[in-house]
Amino acid sequence: MPEPPELAVHATDLHKTYKSPGGDVPAVRGIGLAVPPGEFFGLLGPNGAGKSTTIGMLTTLVRPTSGAASVWGHDVVGDSTEVKRRIGMVSQNNTLDSDLDAFENLEFRGRYFGLGARDARRRADELLELFGLTDRRKGNPFEMSGGQAKRLMIARALVHRPDVLFLDEPTAGLDPQNRVNLWDLLRGLQKEGQTILLTTHYMEEAEVLCDRIAVVDHGRVLAQGTVPELTATAGADTVVTVTYEGAPPAGLRERLDGRDGVGKVEVTDGQVRVFAREADGLLGELVAAGAGSGAVVTDASQIRPSLETVFLSLTGREYRD
Ligand SMILES: Nc1ncnc2c1ncn2[C@@H]1O[C@H](COP(=O)(O)OP(=O)(O)O)[C@@H](O)[C@H]1O
Ligand SMILES: [Mg+2]
């Protein structure tokens, strides 16, 4: 076995601008990533953030407008054939072949990647077994449940033992039970040494699965790191939000600004949002201030440090998936 490269995936200043009749769409605006072999890496961001475009460029399906990327040391543009050989890609939609049964979908992929007839069949059966699909061996991929079809797609992506497995929103649309099952499966693959890069708009998914996460929005990486790193550097704060009917009580900002443990204070039309390191009593105080000044509190929440507060603090927007 040759030594693995220093980085499994390396992207620097990747850009993609789509030309469309309505004008240019700057989908990716300077993304950099460095994923070492063996890592489980996640691109987390809301709908339209540029995740699919980014994974498309890394898997040679989308041509970068500028910037560079390599997978397992091979340039995605200059050496795309080699990249294709070294990766497995699981796209969001069902791209299985409906003219073939489950087994044949795997067998044909094996043949495509140069396995002999016997090896291709053996590998297909091995993967069906590994992914709990042996009893669906002769099933049509479009008559399977969403979870089964997704497992078959992952199996197909692994036929040729790729160095890096890419998955675009692997659990979007799956029910919670299937989602958790798939998480177990992916974790198992990583334990066996598989390098994995996935995109997701589910914070929980990124948090549960990924060693490191890049939070992306509007085609840029807002922050990158482990969950503790992200919560510590990007938004270590508890976020307390109180919404009032009409204007928030006067003087709140003055009262809170500069107080120990209190970070950013945002006062908008009917809302006060406080990023605090020490949030004890703060929520009660904001609610009481409303009552004291006759401002009716219509909503109040406190979010603990999490990817949610990271996103809030970086974008000023609530994360909606
Ligand atoms: N083929 C395309 N042509 C034009 N615009 C596109 C195309 N694909 C994606 N976009 C736009 O690029 C932006 C990023 O899309 P995408 O990469 O699919 O984001 P995500 O996967 O995070 O939802 C969106 O505004 C989307 O509408
Ligand atoms: Mg997408």
Side-chain angles (χ1 to χ4, degrees):
M1 280 286 259
E3 286 278 302
E6 200 174 318
L7 291 175
V9 178
H10 191 197
T12 42
D13 204 25
L14 269 185
H15 285 74
K16 178 65 188 184
T17 301
Y18 292 108
K19 304 275 174 206
S20 82
D24 287 359
V25 182
V28 171
R29 304 187 294 164
I31 281 187
L33 303 169
V35 180
E39 188 162 77
F40 201 140
F41 190 87
L43 287 176
L44 169 71
N47 198 15
K51 304 181 297 297
S52 293
T53 302
T54 302
I55 209 171
M57 290 191 278
L58 298 175
T59 55
T60 77
L61 303 173
V62 175
R63 198 185 169 87
T65 306
S66 65
S70 60
V71 176
W72 220 256
H74 300 276
D75 189 87
V76 296
V77 177
D79 207 357
S80 62
T81 309
E82 187 60 23
V83 171
K84 285 195 188 89
R85 243 199 293 274
R86 291 179 172 274
I87 63 170
M89 171 65 177
V90 179
S91 56
Q92 195 176 344
N93 304 324
N94 186 339
T95 57
L96 294 160
D97 193 330
S98 60
D99 294 332
L100 305 176
D101 66 25
F103 173 82
E104 290 165 340
N105 263 276
L106 302 180
E107 182 192 20
F108 273 55
R109 181 59 65 94
R111 297 290 281 159
Y112 175 81
F113 275 108
L115 294 184
R118 196 144 44 114
D119 285 343
R121 288 199 299 270
R122 190 184 305 141
R123 181 72 176 142
D125 274 324
E126 178 182 292
L127 285 163
L128 289 174
E129 180 71 31
L130 185 65
F131 287 84
L133 291 167
T134 300
D135 60 339
R136 305 305 315 253
R137 195 172 185 275
K138 297 222 169 296
N140 184 289
F142 283 80
E143 286 161 9
M144 296 177 167
S145 73
Q148 288 172 334
K150 193 58 83 170
R151 293 209 301 279
L152 185 56
M153 283 181 67
I154 297 172
R156 188 181 62 172
L158 293 171
V159 164
H160 60 302
R161 305 180 193 279
D163 290 318
V164 186
L165 176 64
F166 292 90
L167 306 118
D168 195 8
E169 309 251 3
T171 68
L174 294 188
D175 62 52
Q177 179 68 56
N178 273 308
R179 175 168 301 152
V180 171
N181 287 347
L182 206 66
W183 287 352
D184 284 342
L185 189 153
L186 293 175
R187 256 194 297 252
L189 292 176
Q190 189 202 13
K191 213 174 274 164
E192 299 291 313
Q194 182 70 56
T195 306
I196 304 176
L197 188 153
L198 63 66
T199 77
T200 184
H201 65 275
Y202 299 116
M203 286 191 169
E204 189 193 359
E205 180 158 291
E207 205 154 349
V208 162
L209 287 180
C210 298
D211 299 320
R212 283 191 314 127
I213 297 164
V215 181
V216 293
D217 193 31
H218 297 305
R220 292 205 174 94
V221 176
L222 299 180
Q224 194 163 177
T226 64
V227 172
E229 280 166 6
L230 288 170
T231 50
T233 60
D237 307 315
T238 300
V239 180
V240 177
T241 305
V242 177
T243 309
Y244 304 89
E245 195 178 280
L252 265 187
R253 181 192 288 286
E254 292 68 26
R255 169 129 60 111
L256 295 172
D257 261 348
R259 187 191 290 185
D260 245 16
V262 171
K264 209 170 12 164
V265 180
E266 292 172 359
V267 181
T268 51
D269 274 353
Q271 186 171 281
V272 175
R273 177 168 281 156
V274 184
F275 296 78
R277 268 174 208 282
E278 266 307 323
D280 288 354
L282 202 54
L283 185 61
E285 184 179 340
L286 292 178
V287 171
S293 70
V296 178
V297 173
T298 55
D299 195 27
S301 71
Q302 173 162 331
I303 323 178
R304 306 295 310 168
S306 64
L307 291 178
E308 181 94 39
T309 57
V310 170
F311 193 82
L312 253 178
S313 137
L314 290 172
T315 66
R317 284 183 293 118
E318 254 147 74
Y319 190 88
R320 305 243 180 262
D321 31 59

